[in-house]
Amino acid sequence: AAEMFSDGLFHLVSTELLVVGLYWAMTSVWRGRDDDRLGVWRRYWAGLFLGAGGFNLYDGTIQHKVLRLHEVRADATDPLPYDLAFLGTAAVVMVIGVVLLRGSSPPRRSGLDARP
């Protein structure tokens, strides 16, 4: 019971952070310059993929394997194939985020954000 409670608490906090990050990302998109709309959206999706992949890599390695809070499939006689599929998918999602990020231009500062 304690394992499930701690996992639920972990997911609750991570969901709250996701909502805050989504708010910050969307406000930067709304304030973005028209000539950089594609770059802003590309960075947005890159961050989303990097965050989702990183979260699942952390969850699958630390929560599942190191802390042994729960398994991907608790009823499986051999959980290794499920673990490998879970971690492999998370790694692929992170690679997609890296590819999107590398293909985008760096964010430009303007207005009040500009440095002298």
Side-chain angles (χ1 to χ4, degrees), residues 58-76:
Y58 167 81
D59 188 40
T61 55
I62 304 300
Q63 299 271 343
H64 297 180
K65 294 299 166 197
V66 174
L67 298 176
R68 297 191 180 275
L69 294 179
H70 62 93
E71 293 289 336
V72 174
R73 281 284 306 261
D75 61 342

Side-chain angles (χ1 to χ4, degrees), residues 6-76:
S6 66
D7 191 53
L9 189 61
F10 170 71
H11 286 282
L12 179 66
V13 170
S14 63
T15 301
E16 289 177 25
L17 291 173
L18 176 69
V19 169
V20 169
L22 182 61
Y23 171 76
W24 285 347
M26 293 312 296
T27 56
S28 76
V29 167
W30 293 325
R31 283 189 255 140
R33 294 171 43 167
D34 286 339
D35 62 342
D36 192 33
R37 285 277 181 211
L38 182 60
V40 169
W41 279 108
R42 192 174 180 111
R43 286 188 303 277
Y44 167 78
W45 284 107
L48 193 68
F49 278 99
L50 284 168
F55 169 82
N56 283 321
L57 278 175
Y58 167 81
D59 188 40
T61 55
I62 304 300
Q63 299 271 343
H64 297 180
K65 294 299 166 197
V66 174
L67 298 176
R68 297 191 180 275
L69 294 179
H70 62 93
E71 293 289 336
V72 174
R73 281 284 306 261
D75 61 342

